[in-house]
Amino acid sequence: MLKTISGFERIGEENAFTVLARAAELSAQGRDIINLGIGQPDFPTPDHIVEAAVKALRDGHHGYTPATGILPLREAVVRRTLQTTGVEISADRVVIAPGGKVTMFAAILMFGAPGVEIMYPDPGFPIYRSMIEFTGATPIPIEVREENGFAFSGEETLALINDKTRLIILNSPANPTGGVTPRAEIEILVNGMEKHPDVAIMSDEIYDSMTYDGIQSTSLLTFPSIRDRLIILNGWSKTWAMTGWRLGWSIWPDGLFENMRKLAVNAWSCVNAPAQYAGIAAIDGPQDEVAKMMAAFDRRRQLVVKRLNGIENISCATPKGAFYAFPNISKTGWQAKKLATALLEDAGVATIGGPDFGILGEGYIRLSYANSEENINLAIDRIDRFLGK
Ligand code: PLP
């Protein structure tokens, strides 16, 4: 037997990719599958962004770039950050990475080790816990509950901090719940963090511009008191429908930037050059396609909530952000993962069981409403029929 370092026996998965593969397999067998499983916009990347990448290739941008990304792209991130948060950051603190995920990977690697604790939202993006366990650190869930609109509590989060805590991971707007944590709650947390100057924060703001009903998401960057220990995770995947481009950005404090830069040099050298030029076009170009996409998501959100609430024994809170609904299925008598499997295998609807996002996900399933209204209606007809059997 080959002996790897320990940790790989603990590393987890993102079940959305497993469900995506199974859905594709069933489709290839001729089954009619509606995919509400994977979290990616069903819209194409806007044309002008694609054209910018094609032009970059034709202009000869075929080589390595600086490991942290080309300066015009990092400057575009500075402009975008100023526009969305009102905060002026330095391009020297921005790192362009191959996707948003890489930022959490790097941040957790920097702090995780046996004997330390890292806090993360539960239910939450599954890679947080997976990577924490990989490093040997102890994962400490921050409970996110339906009765609080799936927002995290500032007080509860503070109460979990002890002298082993090294990093707190936050995510709003959130996957898988669509919850948006109100500014007042974040303020409580930030004020309390003054007593814990050695604890870092990673704020996953990848859904920052995907909110509804006039609600604004709050960037942790807008709190100056924690900026010296704050890592921001963001990227192009969701806002500009660019999941397959593998393009993300991160903002690092002075004390961590060099670690991230060196990780980039060691691991990926740089993000592919044409994608970086596309990233500039995404930020600086017209945003009307983004607005159209958000209007469509909003219509689908209302449809999915209305339709789910029409099914006996299911209740669905209205998500305030991202493109996920997280209905409560506990009254159906089904365990969530079993229900998700049965819905895929027997009813032809791909969803993800809540426990794939954490212990507190039991009793829920996640539906990504990045699909047409027609397919959403069909999928919910099938779920209704399946549960009525
Ligand atoms: N963070 C959250 C909360 C996500 O939901 C996702 C993707 O689903 C990511 C990060 C990763 O984004 P990317 O595809 O850019 O790596």
mmCIF file of all heavy atoms in Angstrom, residues 14 39 99-101 104 125 128 171 175 204 206-207 233 237-238 243 246-247 324, ligand 1:
data_model
loop_
_atom_site.group_PDB
_atom_site.id
_atom_site.type_symbol
_atom_site.label_atom_id
_atom_site.label_comp_id
_atom_site.label_asym_id
_atom_site.label_seq_id
_atom_site.Cartn_x
_atom_site.Cartn_y
_atom_site.Cartn_z
ATOM 1 N N GLU A 14 -18.177 17.265 -2.654
ATOM 2 C CA GLU A 14 -19.335 18.121 -2.850
ATOM 3 C C GLU A 14 -20.333 17.258 -3.602
ATOM 4 O O GLU A 14 -20.142 16.959 -4.785
ATOM 5 C CB GLU A 14 -18.929 19.370 -3.653
ATOM 6 C CG GLU A 14 -20.016 20.408 -3.662
ATOM 7 C CD GLU A 14 -19.685 21.621 -4.513
ATOM 8 O OE1 GLU A 14 -18.517 21.827 -4.869
ATOM 9 O OE2 GLU A 14 -20.637 22.347 -4.843
ATOM 10 N N GLY A 39 -25.353 23.914 -8.564
ATOM 11 C CA GLY A 39 -25.469 25.362 -8.327
ATOM 12 C C GLY A 39 -24.741 26.178 -9.363
ATOM 13 O O GLY A 39 -23.688 26.753 -9.076
ATOM 14 N N GLY A 99 -11.022 30.072 -9.587
ATOM 15 C CA GLY A 99 -12.320 29.818 -8.947
ATOM 16 C C GLY A 99 -12.334 30.347 -7.526
ATOM 17 O O GLY A 99 -11.286 30.629 -6.929
ATOM 18 N N GLY A 100 -13.555 30.468 -6.999
ATOM 19 C CA GLY A 100 -13.712 30.937 -5.619
ATOM 20 C C GLY A 100 -13.240 29.890 -4.621
ATOM 21 O O GLY A 100 -12.705 30.202 -3.550
ATOM 22 N N LYS A 101 -13.441 28.636 -4.963
ATOM 23 C CA LYS A 101 -13.128 27.524 -4.066
ATOM 24 C C LYS A 101 -11.670 27.548 -3.597
ATOM 25 O O LYS A 101 -11.368 27.174 -2.472
ATOM 26 C CB LYS A 101 -13.368 26.235 -4.832
ATOM 27 C CG LYS A 101 -14.139 25.195 -4.095
ATOM 28 C CD LYS A 101 -14.326 23.993 -5.004
ATOM 29 C CE LYS A 101 -15.624 23.293 -4.704
ATOM 30 N NZ LYS A 101 -15.893 22.227 -5.666
ATOM 31 N N MET A 104 -10.968 29.355 -0.326
ATOM 32 C CA MET A 104 -11.266 28.670 0.957
ATOM 33 C C MET A 104 -10.231 27.579 1.210
ATOM 34 O O MET A 104 -9.810 27.371 2.346
ATOM 35 C CB MET A 104 -12.705 28.147 1.000
ATOM 36 C CG MET A 104 -13.039 27.022 0.089
ATOM 37 S SD MET A 104 -14.811 26.582 0.114
ATOM 38 C CE MET A 104 -15.558 27.849 -0.891
ATOM 39 N N PHE A 125 -21.720 25.468 2.737
ATOM 40 C CA PHE A 125 -21.015 24.899 1.588
ATOM 41 C C PHE A 125 -20.132 23.744 2.085
ATOM 42 O O PHE A 125 -19.321 23.940 2.999
ATOM 43 C CB PHE A 125 -20.177 25.999 0.929
ATOM 44 C CG PHE A 125 -19.611 25.622 -0.408
ATOM 45 C CD1 PHE A 125 -20.436 25.209 -1.445
ATOM 46 C CD2 PHE A 125 -18.244 25.689 -0.641
ATOM 47 C CE1 PHE A 125 -19.913 24.872 -2.678
ATOM 48 C CE2 PHE A 125 -17.714 25.355 -1.879
ATOM 49 C CZ PHE A 125 -18.548 24.938 -2.897
ATOM 50 N N TYR A 128 -16.157 23.654 3.139
ATOM 51 C CA TYR A 128 -15.577 24.246 4.357
ATOM 52 C C TYR A 128 -15.194 23.124 5.328
ATOM 53 O O TYR A 128 -14.068 22.999 5.761
ATOM 54 C CB TYR A 128 -16.562 25.187 5.077
ATOM 55 C CG TYR A 128 -17.170 26.316 4.284
ATOM 56 C CD1 TYR A 128 -18.499 26.690 4.505
ATOM 57 C CD2 TYR A 128 -16.437 27.028 3.343
ATOM 58 C CE1 TYR A 128 -19.075 27.745 3.812
ATOM 59 C CE2 TYR A 128 -17.016 28.072 2.646
ATOM 60 C CZ TYR A 128 -18.337 28.421 2.879
ATOM 61 O OH TYR A 128 -18.912 29.457 2.194
ATOM 62 N N ASN A 171 -20.681 33.161 5.442
ATOM 63 C CA ASN A 171 -21.186 33.128 4.065
ATOM 64 C C ASN A 171 -22.580 33.740 4.021
ATOM 65 O O ASN A 171 -23.517 33.178 4.545
ATOM 66 C CB ASN A 171 -21.207 31.660 3.577
ATOM 67 C CG ASN A 171 -21.843 31.487 2.206
ATOM 68 O OD1 ASN A 171 -22.582 30.526 1.965
ATOM 69 N ND2 ASN A 171 -21.564 32.386 1.302
ATOM 70 N N ASN A 175 -25.221 29.676 0.505
ATOM 71 C CA ASN A 175 -25.511 28.379 -0.073
ATOM 72 C C ASN A 175 -25.522 27.412 1.116
ATOM 73 O O ASN A 175 -24.586 27.472 1.925
ATOM 74 C CB ASN A 175 -24.379 28.015 -1.042
ATOM 75 C CG ASN A 175 -24.541 26.652 -1.673
ATOM 76 O OD1 ASN A 175 -25.555 25.996 -1.510
ATOM 77 N ND2 ASN A 175 -23.518 26.230 -2.403
ATOM 78 N N ASP A 204 -17.114 34.526 2.708
ATOM 79 C CA ASP A 204 -17.396 34.021 1.358
ATOM 80 C C ASP A 204 -18.556 34.853 0.800
ATOM 81 O O ASP A 204 -19.707 34.676 1.189
ATOM 82 C CB ASP A 204 -17.754 32.539 1.457
ATOM 83 C CG ASP A 204 -18.039 31.898 0.101
ATOM 84 O OD1 ASP A 204 -18.290 32.635 -0.872
ATOM 85 O OD2 ASP A 204 -18.013 30.658 0.025
ATOM 86 N N ILE A 206 -19.402 35.232 -2.498
ATOM 87 C CA ILE A 206 -19.530 34.920 -3.925
ATOM 88 C C ILE A 206 -20.933 35.230 -4.473
ATOM 89 O O ILE A 206 -21.104 35.438 -5.668
ATOM 90 C CB ILE A 206 -19.104 33.463 -4.213
ATOM 91 C CG1 ILE A 206 -18.765 33.272 -5.690
ATOM 92 C CG2 ILE A 206 -20.150 32.446 -3.765
ATOM 93 C CD1 ILE A 206 -17.640 32.343 -5.974
ATOM 94 N N TYR A 207 -21.936 35.279 -3.582
ATOM 95 C CA TYR A 207 -23.298 35.621 -4.033
ATOM 96 C C TYR A 207 -23.648 37.071 -3.688
ATOM 97 O O TYR A 207 -24.823 37.414 -3.571
ATOM 98 C CB TYR A 207 -24.324 34.679 -3.377
ATOM 99 C CG TYR A 207 -24.145 33.226 -3.771
ATOM 100 C CD1 TYR A 207 -23.529 32.312 -2.918
ATOM 101 C CD2 TYR A 207 -24.576 32.757 -5.014
ATOM 102 C CE1 TYR A 207 -23.360 30.980 -3.275
ATOM 103 C CE2 TYR A 207 -24.408 31.429 -5.389
ATOM 104 C CZ TYR A 207 -23.797 30.550 -4.513
ATOM 105 O OH TYR A 207 -23.627 29.231 -4.881
ATOM 106 N N LEU A 233 -13.546 36.151 -0.054
ATOM 107 C CA LEU A 233 -13.656 35.221 -1.182
ATOM 108 C C LEU A 233 -14.750 35.746 -2.107
ATOM 109 O O LEU A 233 -15.859 36.031 -1.661
ATOM 110 C CB LEU A 233 -14.023 33.831 -0.655
ATOM 111 C CG LEU A 233 -14.199 32.668 -1.627
ATOM 112 C CD1 LEU A 233 -14.123 31.337 -0.871
ATOM 113 C CD2 LEU A 233 -15.456 32.701 -2.466
ATOM 114 N N SER A 237 -17.958 33.255 -11.010
ATOM 115 C CA SER A 237 -18.756 32.074 -11.374
ATOM 116 C C SER A 237 -20.256 32.335 -11.403
ATOM 117 O O SER A 237 -20.936 31.962 -12.360
ATOM 118 C CB SER A 237 -18.485 30.945 -10.383
ATOM 119 O OG SER A 237 -17.153 30.524 -10.493
ATOM 120 N N LYS A 238 -20.770 32.938 -10.357
ATOM 121 C CA LYS A 238 -22.228 33.034 -10.210
ATOM 122 C C LYS A 238 -22.758 34.314 -10.867
ATOM 123 O O LYS A 238 -23.666 34.265 -11.680
ATOM 124 C CB LYS A 238 -22.608 33.003 -8.729
ATOM 125 C CG LYS A 238 -21.869 31.961 -7.898
ATOM 126 C CD LYS A 238 -22.293 30.537 -8.183
ATOM 127 C CE LYS A 238 -21.428 29.555 -7.393
ATOM 128 N NZ LYS A 238 -21.840 28.179 -7.488
ATOM 129 N N THR A 243 -19.112 29.695 -14.353
ATOM 130 C CA THR A 243 -18.593 28.615 -13.494
ATOM 131 C C THR A 243 -17.469 27.810 -14.158
ATOM 132 O O THR A 243 -16.529 27.398 -13.500
ATOM 133 C CB THR A 243 -19.718 27.643 -13.076
ATOM 134 O OG1 THR A 243 -20.402 27.234 -14.259
ATOM 135 C CG2 THR A 243 -20.693 28.276 -12.123
ATOM 136 N N ARG A 246 -13.408 29.011 -14.403
ATOM 137 C CA ARG A 246 -12.544 28.889 -13.225
ATOM 138 C C ARG A 246 -11.803 30.205 -12.972
ATOM 139 O O ARG A 246 -10.612 30.344 -13.258
ATOM 140 C CB ARG A 246 -11.559 27.697 -13.342
ATOM 141 C CG ARG A 246 -12.207 26.378 -13.684
ATOM 142 C CD ARG A 246 -13.460 26.093 -12.859
ATOM 143 N NE ARG A 246 -13.225 26.045 -11.412
ATOM 144 C CZ ARG A 246 -14.047 26.594 -10.522
ATOM 145 N NH1 ARG A 246 -15.138 27.241 -10.891
ATOM 146 N NH2 ARG A 246 -13.786 26.501 -9.248
ATOM 147 N N LEU A 247 -12.548 31.136 -12.448
ATOM 148 C CA LEU A 247 -12.006 32.465 -12.226
ATOM 149 C C LEU A 247 -12.590 33.051 -10.939
ATOM 150 O O LEU A 247 -13.804 33.217 -10.828
ATOM 151 C CB LEU A 247 -12.378 33.345 -13.433
ATOM 152 C CG LEU A 247 -11.694 34.692 -13.572
ATOM 153 C CD1 LEU A 247 -10.198 34.543 -13.763
ATOM 154 C CD2 LEU A 247 -12.278 35.461 -14.762
ATOM 155 N N TYR A 324 -31.036 29.363 -4.540
ATOM 156 C CA TYR A 324 -31.406 28.086 -3.945
ATOM 157 C C TYR A 324 -32.652 28.238 -3.079
ATOM 158 O O TYR A 324 -32.813 29.243 -2.387
ATOM 159 C CB TYR A 324 -30.282 27.577 -3.031
ATOM 160 C CG TYR A 324 -28.944 27.523 -3.717
ATOM 161 C CD1 TYR A 324 -27.932 28.427 -3.369
ATOM 162 C CD2 TYR A 324 -28.696 26.592 -4.714
ATOM 163 C CE1 TYR A 324 -26.699 28.395 -3.999
ATOM 164 C CE2 TYR A 324 -27.467 26.556 -5.355
ATOM 165 C CZ TYR A 324 -26.469 27.455 -4.988
ATOM 166 O OH TYR A 324 -25.258 27.422 -5.629
HETATM 167 N N1 PLP B 1 -18.629 29.523 -2.185
HETATM 168 C C1 PLP B 1 -19.920 29.154 -2.224
HETATM 169 C C2 PLP B 1 -20.793 29.509 -1.076
HETATM 170 C C3 PLP B 1 -20.416 28.455 -3.328
HETATM 171 O O1 PLP B 1 -21.710 28.091 -3.353
HETATM 172 C C4 PLP B 1 -19.544 28.129 -4.382
HETATM 173 C C5 PLP B 1 -20.007 27.345 -5.544
HETATM 174 O O2 PLP B 1 -21.012 26.678 -5.541
HETATM 175 C C6 PLP B 1 -18.210 28.520 -4.283
HETATM 176 C C7 PLP B 1 -17.788 29.234 -3.180
HETATM 177 C C8 PLP B 1 -17.202 28.134 -5.323
HETATM 178 O O3 PLP B 1 -17.231 28.892 -6.450
HETATM 179 P P1 PLP B 1 -16.292 28.576 -7.686
HETATM 180 O O4 PLP B 1 -17.090 27.736 -8.647
HETATM 181 O O5 PLP B 1 -15.939 29.919 -8.255
HETATM 182 O O6 PLP B 1 -15.091 27.851 -7.210
#
